[in-house]
């Protein structure tokens, strides 16, 4: 089936630092989504990307849809403690179903 | 507007028992889905429904049944629980996938299931 890979698997950063993570696939996707999951909660949509090359921001978060349509990137600027959580990428498959990556676990040290 | 609700929040089953995980949404969304989340594996699609009366299998459907008699409800049934079904289960809904820019998927809080 479809598979997404995310890197890094986990990261520890100091408060105030910028964060970069990515998501790659062997298949082409036409829509990329980025979610954040807090402990004990369901994922919450952060950013949706619909076109190759698209760069979209949501506050301190910026995501890009890769030109090859096989990857996407998420950057978080000036991290704060509430950024802690697991970040998932998801690609839209067959126009209606979503394939999720395994997640990047972010820890922010004060 | 409660969004997506799931019950129960926690459940422990013995091998071979059956149960139904409940999911409801009050946003009049057409598309609903069930995922399971296991450590290091992200979310995997179990079953989905594009509208009342229509269901289909996702990536990992074995051992689970669904039905969609109303727009609001999408229960997931475990027919004969097995330890491999120990997981966190999330229900999600989307207004109408397939249309551009309507992919915001709302997730419920999850059901944590342990099968012993």
């Amino acid at each position: 089936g479809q598979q997404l890979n995310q890197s890094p698997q986990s990261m520890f950063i100091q408060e105030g630092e910028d964060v970069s993570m990515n998501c790659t696939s062997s298949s082409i996707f036409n829509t990329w989504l980025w979610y954040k999951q807090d402990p004990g909660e369901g994922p919450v949509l952060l950013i949706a990307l619909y076109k190759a090359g698209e760069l979209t921001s949501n506050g301190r978060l910026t995501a890009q849809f890769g030109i090859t349509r096989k990857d996407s990137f998420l950057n978080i600027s000036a991290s704060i403690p509430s950024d802690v959580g697991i970040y998932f990428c998801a690609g839209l498959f067959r126009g209606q179903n979503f394939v999720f990556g395994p997640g990047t676990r972010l820890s922010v040290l004060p | 507007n409660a969004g997506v609700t799931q019950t129960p929040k926690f459940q422990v089953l013995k091998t071979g028992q059956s149960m139904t995980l409940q999911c409801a949404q009050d946003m009049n969304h057409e598309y609903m889905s069930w995922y399971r989340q296991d450590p290091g594996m992200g979310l995997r699609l179990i079953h989905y429904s594009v509208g009342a009366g229509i269901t289909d299998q996702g990536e990992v459907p074995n051992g689970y049944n669904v039905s969609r008699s109303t727009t609001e409800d999408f229960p997931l049934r475990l027919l004969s629980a097995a330890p491999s079904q120990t997981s966190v289960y999330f229900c999600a809904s989307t207004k109408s996938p397939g249309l551009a820019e309507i992919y915001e998927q709302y997730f419920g809080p999850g059901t944590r299931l342990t099968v012993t």
Side-chain angles (χ1 to χ4, degrees):
Chain A
Q2 307 291 322
Q3 265 194 317
L4 297 182
N5 301 305
Q6 286 189 247
S7 65
Q9 284 187 329
S10 62
M11 52 196 317
F12 293 82
I13 60 167
Q14 295 284 343
E15 185 177 351
E17 287 184 352
D18 296 342
V19 175
S20 291
M21 59 186 79
N22 67 41
C23 183
T24 59
S25 171
S26 58
S27 304
I28 289 175
F29 288 96
N30 292 319
T31 298
W32 287 94
L33 309 170
W34 284 93
Y35 289 85
K36 178 180 182 246
Q37 184 178 29
D38 292 325
E41 303 287 333
V44 174
L45 183 66
L46 299 173
I47 293 179
L49 302 160
Y50 302 104
K51 296 179 188 175
E54 180 180 354
L55 190 70
T56 298
S57 292
N58 178 6
R60 294 178 296 105
L61 277 62
T62 301
Q64 183 162 25
F65 191 143
I67 290 291
T68 64
R69 293 195 285 161
K70 293 183 178 182
D71 55 12
S72 180
F73 309 89
L74 177 69
N75 295 314
I76 306 172
S77 62
S79 58
I80 59 178
S82 63
D83 290 334
V84 166
I86 303 177
Y87 291 80
F88 291 101
C89 62
L92 188 66
F93 173 59
R94 289 186 184 161
Q96 61 184 16
N97 293 329
F98 300 91
V99 177
F100 283 78
T104 291
R105 186 179 296 272
L106 177 65
S107 301
V108 180
L109 306 173
Chain B
N1 201 343
V4 180
T5 57
Q6 291 184 238
T7 56
K9 203 161 175 63
F10 301 94
Q11 182 70 50
V12 178
L13 290 178
K14 291 190 186 328
T15 297
Q17 286 185 318
S18 62
M19 80 159 294
T20 299
L21 309 186
Q22 301 292 343
C23 174
Q25 52 91 9
D26 61 359
M27 297 172 284
N28 202 31
H29 284 176
E30 296 175 14
Y31 178 95
M32 297 184 73
S33 53
W34 276 102
Y35 294 89
R36 60 178 289 172
Q37 184 177 29
D38 300 297
M41 297 190 72
L43 289 93
R44 292 183 293 168
L45 183 65
I46 305 172
H47 285 285
Y48 66 96
S49 168
V50 299
I54 306 169
T55 63
D56 207 343
Q57 296 180 349
E59 181 186 354
V60 287
N62 292 340
Y64 308 96
N65 272 1
V66 292
S67 59
R68 184 95 178 270
S69 55
T70 66
T71 300
E72 294 78 21
D73 300 298
F74 190 43
L76 178 73
R77 277 182 281 279
L78 280 71
L79 306 173
S80 178
S84 60
Q85 294 179 303
T86 293
S87 188
V88 182
Y89 291 85
F90 289 101
C91 178
S93 74
T94 308
K95 184 171 184 180
S96 182
L99 298 178
E101 299 170 346
I102 310 182
Y103 293 120
E104 181 151 349
Q105 191 164 209
Y106 294 85
F107 283 84
T111 294
R112 282 143 188 83
L113 175 68
T114 301
V115 182
T116 60

